[in-house]
Amino acid sequence: MSPKVDPDIQKINQIKGELHANILAHNYQIPEVHAVADVIGDSLELALAARDTDVDVLIVCGVRFMAETAKLLNPEKRVYIPIPDAGCPLADFLTPELIRDSRQKYPDAAVVVYVNSSAACKSVADIVCTSGNAVTIVKSLPQSRIIFGPDANLASYVREQVPEKEIITIPVDGHCYVHQQFSLEDIRNARLIGGTILAHPECPEIIRHHADIVASTGRMIRIIGEHEERVWHIFTEEGMVMRLRSLFPDKEFHSVQSAVCKDMRKTTIGDIIRCLESLQGEIILDQDSSESARRSLDRMLEASS
Ligand code: 13P
Ligand code: SF4
């Protein structure tokens, strides 16, 4: 008897074939979304997949800036987000006006914006970075003064890794509420169990300093795959722990309680079916600002290749 195929998965695969579509899903998405994804990855890996794809339609399961980045890097494709209001509260900390004001104050500085930002912010930046390449990008620039936003924690991580440069954070208090909540108590609890602590660069300085390794979600996967260690504590969004458990069923993963990104959690398999059937939620960007936002992203991909 042939194995039973889930009817939702069957339906999605059928529509994907008809539309010549691919589904890109961030590592934080829930397992049922990962089950229908063609590419699963961190922000940088999804951006590269969007740039290099030869399909006609991309469905981006994640938050809005990820779908916007896909559209910017491959404007000929039709890009959809199943939940159009899935945003990133960290991205909302930064505005083009804040960037313009800082440029006036520090005219000799380069502006680096974290990919967790709007297309409008990317359009007035010099270059974009992700958590996986922020240090490489900042090092690659000739300027010794860098305006960096919107994540003050990632900025402080870059400051530590590139001490020869001055990093000016805009705004001073930009942060991700999911990573900001981790405490020393969480570190102590992890140490009681034993194993290795992996923290995302969006974590506050105190958490990064007590962690064993600081890494983007994509690098976390590579590190765990390369190490014998069995027990891991994952200081990032809880969806990552589900992803790691499915990739490494023989290892033990501990999450930090209630580290849930509400926006990342919004997309379900039903939303993907609705999106594919109705083709609603298309990403349409302002043409003028898209050109300069694309240049900022292209510079990042060139500097990190
Ligand atoms: P990664 O690029 O490491 O996947 O991070 C994206 C993100 O939003 C972290 O909260
Ligand atoms: Fe934004 Fe934080 Fe959610 Fe990542 S986890 S998408 S940074 S709010």
Side-chain angles (χ1 to χ4, degrees):
M1 209 168 65
S2 58
K4 210 165 147 263
V5 182
D6 181 300
D8 285 344
I9 296 183
Q10 211 166 18
K11 191 172 202 169
I12 287 174
N13 286 339
Q14 185 207 323
I15 310 176
K16 271 199 317 192
E18 287 162 8
L19 293 174
H20 201 213
N22 266 181
I23 296 176
L24 309 185
H26 187 263
N27 283 322
Y28 293 163
Q29 294 290 294
I30 57 176
E32 65 176 40
V33 170
H34 285 167
V36 294
D38 298 282
V39 178
I40 307 172
D42 68 7
S43 307
L44 182 59
E45 290 158 347
L46 295 185
L48 289 169
R51 183 197 61 179
D52 298 338
T53 188
D54 59 0
V55 298
D56 300 326
V57 172
L58 289 174
I59 309 292
V60 179
C61 300
V63 292
R64 191 167 186 90
F65 77 80
M66 294 174 178
E68 285 188 353
T69 300
K71 181 70 183 175
L72 287 168
L73 286 170
N74 211 335
E76 306 302 316
K77 311 293 177 190
R78 280 175 293 145
V79 178
Y80 297 86
I81 180 165
I83 304 286
D85 77 346
C88 167
L90 165 60
D92 296 341
F93 272 96
L94 193 60
T95 61
E97 291 69 38
L98 269 174
I99 298 176
R100 287 196 193 98
D101 290 351
S102 313
R103 269 202 199 278
Q104 281 201 328
K105 214 164 154 195
Y106 306 103
D108 60 325
V111 175
V112 180
V113 299
Y114 189 27
V115 70
N116 297 41
S117 59
S118 65
C121 286
K122 290 180 178 77
S123 78
V124 292
D126 293 312
I127 191 163
V128 176
C129 74
T130 67
S131 66
N133 65 20
V135 171
T136 307
I137 296 299
V138 168
K139 279 187 178 166
S140 77
L141 298 169
Q143 291 88 343
S144 57
R145 185 178 264 170
I146 308 292
I147 297 166
F148 191 105
D151 188 11
N153 290 324
L154 181 60
S156 87
Y157 176 66
V158 172
R159 196 174 291 120
E160 287 164 2
Q161 304 296 314
V162 196
E164 65 277 18
K165 299 211 183 203
E166 183 189 359
I167 312 289
I168 297 152
T169 311
I170 51 163
V172 288
D173 59 348
H175 65 272
C176 161
Y177 72 97
V178 179
H179 293 83
Q180 196 68 15
Q181 68 187 323
F182 298 145
S183 67
L184 274 183
E185 178 76 17
D186 298 320
I187 295 275
R188 275 193 289 270
N189 289 339
R191 291 288 178 220
L192 283 176
I193 296 169
T196 300
I197 297 182
L198 271 180
H200 195 274
E202 287 177 15
C203 290
E205 186 178 298
I206 186 89
I207 300 299
R208 296 196 316 269
H209 287 181
H210 281 84
D212 297 306
I213 307 173
V214 177
S216 70
T217 61
R219 199 169 146 246
M220 284 182 184
I221 293 173
R222 291 191 288 281
I223 288 170
I224 292 165
E226 287 160 7
H227 282 70
E228 294 281 295
E229 173 72 81
R230 208 182 69 80
V231 180
W232 297 85
H233 299 269
I234 307 301
F235 279 62
T236 191
E237 211 273 342
E238 209 177 70
M240 190 62 200
V241 177
M242 296 188 250
R243 169 98 176 113
L244 291 168
R245 284 185 184 137
S246 81
L247 285 172
F248 305 104
D250 296 338
K251 300 202 180 215
E252 184 180 315
F253 296 100
H254 297 266
S255 58
V256 185
Q257 46 169 322
S258 73
V260 172
C261 173
K262 292 195 196 86
D263 289 84
M264 279 285 184
R265 218 37 81 81
K266 283 177 176 170
T267 312
T268 65
I269 202 124
D271 299 317
I272 297 174
I273 294 174
R274 257 191 304 282
C275 183
L276 282 164
E277 284 180 335
S278 69
L279 289 179
Q280 285 188 354
E282 184 167 3
I283 300 291
I284 310 280
L285 297 172
D286 172 75
Q287 198 123 33
D288 290 342
S289 61
S290 289
E291 282 297 319
S292 43
R294 184 172 311 121
R295 276 196 292 276
S296 300
L297 280 162
D298 284 342
R299 280 186 212 115
M300 166 185 85
L301 295 178
E302 211 170 296
S304 61
S305 62

